[in-house]
Amino acid sequence: LAYRHLFAKLKANAQDRDEAWSNYCELFDRLLAQDDLQTQLTPGWVFDILHEFVYQFQSFCQTRGGRHTGIKTSPFLDDEDSPHENIEAFPPDDQQSSWQASIVIGYLHEFAKYATAKKAPSQLHKEFGYFALAARCRLETLL
């Protein structure tokens, strides 16, 4: 959640978005590999992590969309307030390795399996499963 403030209050650039992606991948890969079954988080934190994951993906897509559509700013915003301030910093689609929709959906799908599993590896996995179902619904409405 360290990047939450950056995305909500400040202007995230391409490097910030890539670092956030790397943090999520590291956390999710570790949870899915079941390397640490002792870690505990409150359900609120689990929800916040997955909710913010989808929000940051949405923010990334909106920034990328601005580059593709030529939309630079709203007539009501100053150029410095534009959400698309760093669109030239993003590599072309075929070279983009972070924030791919298929990978985002894949993570949520893998976690969602724990919601319906008869025996999840831990309570944390079960909670990630339940909240991943909600996050997937939100993501699908965005796509």
Side-chain angles (χ1 to χ4, degrees):
L1 297 176
Y3 288 92
R4 182 182 211 170
H5 176 75
L6 178 66
F7 279 80
K9 304 289 182 189
L10 305 173
K11 293 180 180 178
N13 60 33
Q15 181 180 352
D16 296 329
R17 293 174 195 281
D18 283 342
E19 289 173 4
W21 172 256
S22 295
N23 283 345
Y24 280 114
C25 288
E26 185 178 329
L27 173 66
F28 293 165
D29 289 342
R30 184 174 177 187
L31 286 168
L32 290 169
Q34 302 173 16
D35 288 342
D36 181 8
L37 300 178
Q38 303 304 316
T39 300
Q40 295 183 5
L41 298 172
T42 65
W45 276 37
V46 174
F47 173 83
D48 285 346
I49 289 168
L50 290 171
H51 181 77
E52 191 67 18
F53 179 63
V54 173
Y55 168 75
Q56 289 181 23
F57 171 70
Q58 176 185 4
S59 175
F60 175 82
C61 290
Q62 288 171 337
T63 302
R64 288 290 301 242
R67 182 183 70 167
H68 294 300
T69 62
I71 297 170
K72 298 270 186 202
T73 186
S74 164
F76 304 106
L77 297 175
D78 294 334
D79 283 339
E80 67 222 23
D81 294 331
S82 172
H84 308 293
E85 77 289 347
N86 288 310
I87 53 179
E88 69 282 347
F90 291 97
D93 289 337
D94 59 345
Q95 296 175 9
Q96 184 63 38
S97 61
S98 62
W99 296 109
Q100 292 180 15
S102 60
I103 299 172
V104 172
I105 292 168
Y107 275 127
L108 296 175
H109 178 73
E110 288 301 311
F111 280 125
K113 290 178 184 178
Y114 293 125
T116 57
K118 292 184 182 187
K119 181 154 174 61
S122 71
Q123 182 61 30
L124 181 63
H125 286 83
K126 194 83 162 166
E127 290 167 358
F128 263 94
Y130 284 125
F131 292 125
L133 289 172
R136 263 184 44 202
C137 290
R138 183 169 164 248
L139 179 62
E140 288 174 12
T141 60
L142 294 172
L143 296 176

